[in-house]
């Protein structure tokens, strides 16, 4: 009897030891997964921060021309801006235009974001910003306005023209450089807080953040490349300030790298 009791005791101790070992392994695995997740998240955050920083320092924008006009009750704004790749790598900046001014890490948008760059007073909303490349693509000594159609470059205008000419010429507008249209919740204005463009627009206009969209134009730029953009804007109301946004794309998200105030009324 005594032997059987000792055997049962040994078996119980073995079972207890197995339970303790199993619990320890489970805890170890949980801790490993936890710290691995933290490391991965921090690693991803660092990758994003480095990518955004490379665009902040690598892509330089500068205003070379700006004009405004009122035609038929519509306020027209035209500007020419150079984009330069000052970095040592091939880069693809994404740009857009908003009625607002850079303010710290964020933008101070005006309520006119309700109309520019997308007019939400019309259903469905329409785009009010047109972008062209200003370049002498046929090397005849005259700079043309270049757009795109069916995935190919096309001459929208044989020369640089004033705002009024574009307003009254549907062909030029139809041959602008075509953007992609993305949802506002994919645009991150502040890396630290994750504050989104859709949230900011909703705060200013009351528009459902889920309906906010933004046109983006992207350009592949080699090191030392310089690109001249001609930007044309129509607005049913006067705009006091307009800024160019430069964004970096990382994992299907667009992060604000810099903002240039190019018009202040």
């Amino acid at each position: 009897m005594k032997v059987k009791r000792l055997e049962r005791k040994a078996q119980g101790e073995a079972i207890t030891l197995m339970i303790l070992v199993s619990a320890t392994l489970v805890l170890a695995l949980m801790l490993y997964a936890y710290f691995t997740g933290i490391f991965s998240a921090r690693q991803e955050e660092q990758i994003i921060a480095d990518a955004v920083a490379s665009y902040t320092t690598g892509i330089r924008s500068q205003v070379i021309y700006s004009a405004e006009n009122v035609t038929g009750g519509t306020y027209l704004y035209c500007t020419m801006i150079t984009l330069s790749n000052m970095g040592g790598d091939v880069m693809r900046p994404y740009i857009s235009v908003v009625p607002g001014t850079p303010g710290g890490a964020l933008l101070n948008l005006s309520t006119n974001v309700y109309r520019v760059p997308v007019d939400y007073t019309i259903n469905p909303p329409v785009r009010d910003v047109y972008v062209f490349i200003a370049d002498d693509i046929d090397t005849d000594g005259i700079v043309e306005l270049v757009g795109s159609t069916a995935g190919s470059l096309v001459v929208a205008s044989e020369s640089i023209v004033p705002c009024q000419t574009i307003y009254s010429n549907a062909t030029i507008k139809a041959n602008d450089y075509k953007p992609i249209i993305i949802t506002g919740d994919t645009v991150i204005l502040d890396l630290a807080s994750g504050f989104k463009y859709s949230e900011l627009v909703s705060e200013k206009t009351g528009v459902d953040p889920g309906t906010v969209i933004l046109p983006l134009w992207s350009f592949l730029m080699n090191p030392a490349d310089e690109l001249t953009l001609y930007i044309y804007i129509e607005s049913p109301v006067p705009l006091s300030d307009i800024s160019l946004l430069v964004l970096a794309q990382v994992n299907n998200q667009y992060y604000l790298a810099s903002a240039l105030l190019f018009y202040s009324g």
Side-chain angles (χ1 to χ4, degrees):
M1 295 293 292
K2 185 176 181 180
V3 172
K4 289 183 177 180
R5 284 199 298 272
L6 290 173
E7 288 177 349
R8 285 197 295 271
K9 181 179 180 182
Q11 289 174 351
E13 289 175 348
I15 292 171
T16 301
L17 180 60
M18 290 176 64
I19 292 173
L20 289 173
V21 170
S22 298
T24 301
L25 287 173
V26 170
L27 179 60
L29 289 171
M30 290 174 62
L31 289 172
Y32 174 77
Y34 173 73
F35 286 110
T36 299
I38 290 178
F39 176 76
S40 297
R42 288 181 177 174
Q43 189 177 40
E44 184 177 0
E45 289 174 359
Q46 189 61 52
I47 289 172
I48 293 172
D50 290 345
V52 174
S54 69
Y55 278 79
T56 301
T57 57
I59 299 298
R60 180 177 298 172
S61 55
Q62 183 177 359
V63 181
I64 59 176
Y65 167 82
S66 186
E68 61 177 308
N69 194 272
V70 182
T71 302
T74 301
Y75 295 84
L76 312 177
Y77 303 88
C78 288
T79 189
M80 292 181 71
I81 293 175
T82 58
L83 282 184
S84 305
N85 182 357
M86 309 300 292
D89 299 314
V90 176
M91 308 183 83
R92 181 180 284 278
Y94 286 78
I95 64 109
S96 196
V97 173
V98 297
T101 58
L106 301 180
L107 287 172
N108 297 319
L109 294 185
S110 74
T111 53
N112 293 327
V113 75
Y114 192 78
R115 294 184 172 87
V116 176
V118 176
D119 191 345
Y120 290 100
T121 64
I122 299 174
N123 190 18
V126 298
R127 177 167 55 92
D128 286 336
V129 177
Y130 301 79
V131 173
F132 306 88
I133 298 173
D135 191 15
D136 181 13
I137 63 171
D138 56 8
T139 65
D140 65 350
I142 301 175
V143 175
E144 296 91 17
L145 293 184
V146 180
S148 63
T149 181
S152 301
L153 295 180
V154 61
V155 174
S157 172
E158 295 290 345
S159 62
I160 302 296
V161 293
C163 293
Q164 309 92 289
T165 301
I166 299 178
Y167 173 79
S168 58
N169 192 316
T171 301
I172 294 179
K173 287 191 280 189
N175 286 323
D176 69 327
Y177 199 90
K178 295 300 185 289
I180 61 170
I181 306 296
I182 53 99
T183 57
D185 62 351
T186 63
V187 178
I188 312 301
L189 296 178
D190 184 64
L191 193 58
S193 66
F195 193 56
K196 299 176 180 179
Y197 176 77
S198 56
E199 297 174 276
L200 188 55
V201 172
S202 182
E203 284 182 7
K204 293 292 183 180
T205 67
V207 172
D208 180 355
T211 65
V212 174
I213 57 177
L214 187 68
L216 296 184
W217 292 262
S218 69
F219 307 94
L220 188 65
M221 302 183 70
N222 292 314
D225 272 359
E226 184 173 279
L227 191 66
T228 301
L229 304 179
Y230 186 99
I231 300 171
Y232 167 78
I233 301 168
E234 291 185 1
S235 175
V237 295
L239 304 176
S240 56
D241 298 297
I242 316 174
S243 290
L244 176 85
L245 310 186
V246 176
L247 304 109
Q249 183 192 38
V250 185
N251 298 332
N252 296 319
Q253 299 278 337
Y254 302 87
Y255 297 85
L256 179 63
S258 63
L260 171 70
L261 178 66
F262 65 82
Y263 173 81
S264 183

